[in-house]
Amino acid sequence: MRKTFDAELQELNYEMINMSAAAEDAIDVVTESLSSSDDAAAKAAIEMTRSMDQMERDIENRCLRLLLQQQPVARDLRTISAALKMVTDLQRIGDQCANIAEISLLLQQQKQDRTLLDIRTMSQKASVMVKRSIFAYVNRDDEAARAVIALDDEIDEFFRTIKGELVELIVENREAADQAIDLIIIAKYLERIADHAVNIAQWAIFCVTGALVG
C-alpha cells in the first residue's frame, strides 16, 4: 500500500512540475509579446494558458485521492496540502498571463515608450520570481524560496514607479489616457504574478520546515 502511495506522490510531483513549466512558458511568451510588434506571441500565450485548467483539475483530483487512500504522515500531508494551494496560484498566474496578452494585442500598433520598457523589465523580474519559486519547491530548497520572497519589494517598487509615471501622463495628456490605463492594468497583473510567486515560495518553505511564513 505504501509503495502505491509513494508512486502516487511521485506522479503528483511530476504533474506539479508540468503545470509549473506551463506557467513559466506562458510568462516567457507574454513577456515576448510586450517586446514585439507581432501579435503571434500574445495569441500563443492565450492558447497556452487554456491547458492549465485541466492540469489544475487533474492535480486537485490526485491530491484528494491521496488524502483518501490512507492517512498520510506529516511530511506527506505537507506536500499534498502545499500542492493544493500552489495549483491555485499557478492557475491564477496563467489567467493573468492571458489577461496581459489580451491587452498586449491592443497595444501592438501603439507607440512604444519608456514606460513600456519599464513594464518589460518588470515582466522579466516577475518571471524570474516564478521560476525560482518553482525551483525551490521542486528541489525542496527553503533558502531559494526565501530569496524569492525578498525580491518582492523590487516588484512593488516597479509598480509604484510605473503607476506614478502613468498617472502624470494622464494628467498632462488626456489623449494618452486609454493607453496609460492599459499599461497600469498590465503592471498590476505583473505585481499579482509576483505575489503568486511569493505564495509558491512560502508553500515550498512549508514543505521543508512545516512552518507557515507570512
Side-chain angles (χ1 to χ4, degrees):
M1 186 68 176
R2 180 67 208 188
K3 186 178 292 186
T4 301
F5 186 79
D6 287 341
E8 285 278 333
L9 274 179
Q10 188 60 50
E11 286 299 319
L12 172 63
N13 197 47
Y14 291 147
E15 288 182 345
M16 290 296 296
I17 291 170
N18 288 337
M19 189 171 182
S20 299
E24 290 180 17
D25 290 344
I27 294 172
D28 286 343
V29 174
V30 84
T31 299
E32 181 184 344
S33 78
L34 294 170
S35 308
S36 171
S37 58
D38 184 358
D39 63 5
K43 291 178 178 177
I46 294 168
E47 189 62 34
M48 290 165 63
T49 59
R50 289 174 180 160
S51 65
M52 295 178 69
D53 292 333
Q54 186 60 49
M55 291 181 179
E56 180 186 28
R57 288 191 290 271
D58 290 344
I59 290 171
E60 287 175 342
N61 288 337
R62 188 178 295 277
C63 286
L64 292 175
R65 286 201 306 272
L66 284 166
L67 290 171
L68 292 171
Q69 278 180 7
Q70 66 180 54
Q71 291 186 348
V73 298
R75 187 177 183 86
D76 296 335
L77 187 57
R78 292 202 303 266
T79 297
I80 297 167
S81 299
L84 281 169
K85 295 291 186 179
M86 288 170 60
V87 74
T88 301
D89 285 298
L90 289 169
Q91 178 57 41
R92 288 177 180 167
I93 287 171
D95 289 343
Q96 284 147 9
C97 285
N99 292 337
I100 292 170
E102 292 279 5
I103 299 173
S104 178
L105 288 171
L106 300 176
L107 296 173
Q108 293 294 342
Q109 305 305 317
Q110 298 181 24
K111 182 180 178 182
Q112 311 296 302
D113 57 16
R114 178 170 171 264
T115 301
L116 192 49
L117 289 173
D118 287 344
I119 286 178
R120 290 173 191 154
T121 302
M122 185 180 179
S123 178
Q124 290 164 353
K125 287 182 176 292
S127 176
V128 167
M129 287 180 66
V130 171
K131 290 176 181 179
R132 289 182 181 176
S133 69
I134 292 165
F135 171 89
Y137 168 74
V138 171
N139 292 280
R140 301 297 192 266
D141 187 337
D142 60 318
E143 288 302 316
R146 293 178 198 282
V148 171
I149 296 170
L151 288 173
D152 195 43
D153 288 342
E154 292 184 31
I155 293 290
D156 291 341
E157 183 59 33
F158 256 99
F159 177 71
R160 286 190 291 269
T161 300
I162 290 169
K163 182 180 177 182
E165 290 174 356
L166 291 170
V167 168
E168 287 182 12
L169 178 62
I170 293 171
V171 171
E172 295 170 2
N173 181 4
R174 291 306 177 94
E175 293 181 359
D178 286 345
Q179 181 186 20
I181 291 169
D182 285 340
L183 293 173
I184 289 173
I185 292 170
I186 288 177
K188 187 61 181 177
Y189 282 136
L190 291 171
E191 183 190 43
R192 288 177 180 172
I193 286 173
D195 288 341
H196 291 306
V198 168
N199 290 345
I200 292 169
Q202 290 172 337
W203 286 110
I205 293 170
F206 175 73
C207 279
V208 176
T209 68
L212 290 171
V213 179

